[in-house]
Amino acid sequence: MPHILITNDDGVHSPGLLALAQALRELGQVSILAPDRNWSVTGHNKTLDRPLRVWSVSLADGTQALTTDGGPSDSVALAAMGVVAEPIHLVASGINTRPNLGDDITYSGTVAAAMEAAIFGIPAIAVSQEEGDPRYWETAGRAARLIARKILENGGIPRGTLLNVNVPNLPWEHIRGFQVTRLGQRRYHDELVVRHDPGGRPYYWIGGGPPTSILEPGTDVHALAHGYISVTPLSLDMTHDTFLDVLRGWFAPLGERP
Ligand code: MN
């Protein structure tokens, strides 16, 4: 029976995590180890400057979970290195309360947890859902279960890779299907807000509205905007293969020594 580790970056008590655990329980044994608080938009971290604590909590439906004062990727590392005794066959991170599309993945704690699993050689999926009210967590749970089953049936995914999944916030009957996509582009509308404290010293907020998507066919942003579940294979190897040779050309005249 497969053993699946569930984590997230919204905190162990997030309803999205519980929905993911409930959905994946049908596939095998589920263990949960997730941060005790919200770590959204913290990227890929490793806590080295302080000890990490792990303790048990009960989730809303009575499910037992482990939680830590470390981050999402710490949670995966702790579990993989023995805090969870049994070998882990799949890591599922989410369900995040917002989508993780295009460059979002570099900020995302949800994706970082899946990246950490990939470093440990464990197949992983990061699952995120569009915002909305009401929330159709069951749709994202069902999508995650189908994708997790595919991974287990196919004997995993290539080492050093993970799947980034984004799910529309729609009832299952309204989902148009699955699309395998590449990363798209989002435009961020960050603006620097400068204020002054009572002592007259400036402080800064990075403000601005949510990013908008550039809707190019074949991308994750396009699929999600059109009612599809987007599945993007990501590689930890961020080398830009086509630029590699150009860059070698730049440095060839300098020889091997700088
Ligand atoms: Mn989050």
Side-chain angles (χ1 to χ4, degrees), residues 130 139 143 166-179 181 215 219-231:
E130 265 180 326
T139 300
N166 282 279
V167 184
N169 187 47
L170 296 171
W172 182 259
E173 315 78 68
H174 295 184
I175 295 288
R176 292 173 71 186
F178 286 80
Q179 269 188 16
T181 57
L215 299 179
T219 63
D220 53 0
V221 289
H222 188 272
L224 192 68
H226 290 82
Y228 291 90
I229 295 159
S230 168
V231 184

Side-chain angles (χ1 to χ4, degrees), residues 99-115:
N100 279 302
L101 302 160
D103 291 334
D104 295 346
I105 63 155
T106 62
Y107 300 105
S108 168
T110 307
V111 175
M115 289 169 65

Side-chain angles (χ1 to χ4, degrees), residues 97-226:
T97 54
R98 278 179 301 202
N100 279 302
L101 302 160
D103 291 334
D104 295 346
I105 63 155
T106 62
Y107 300 105
S108 168
T110 307
V111 175
M115 289 169 65
E116 186 70 12
I119 287 173
F120 276 92
I122 304 169
I125 58 174
V127 186
S128 307
Q129 192 172 32
E130 265 180 326
E131 301 93 334
D133 186 24
R135 284 309 281 258
Y136 296 98
W137 293 120
E138 316 77 37
T139 300
R142 198 161 162 177
R145 187 166 62 237
L146 278 160
I147 294 162
R149 187 176 281 138
K150 289 272 178 217
I151 292 173
L152 295 168
E153 281 172 1
N154 286 285
I157 53 178
R159 201 182 162 90
T161 64
L162 53 131
L163 299 184
N164 187 43
V165 179
N166 282 279
V167 184
N169 187 47
L170 296 171
W172 182 259
E173 315 78 68
H174 295 184
I175 295 288
R176 292 173 71 186
F178 286 80
Q179 269 188 16
V180 174
T181 57
R182 59 194 162 80
L183 292 176
Q185 285 181 36
R186 305 199 88 188
R187 190 164 286 140
Y188 298 93
H189 305 287
D190 295 346
E191 52 187 62
L192 193 61
V193 178
V194 187
R195 293 187 181 150
H196 291 85
D197 69 18
R201 287 172 306 230
Y203 63 92
Y204 303 93
W205 281 102
I206 298 175
T212 47
S213 297
I214 299 167
L215 299 179
E216 197 184 330
T219 63
D220 53 0
V221 289
H222 188 272
L224 192 68
H226 290 82

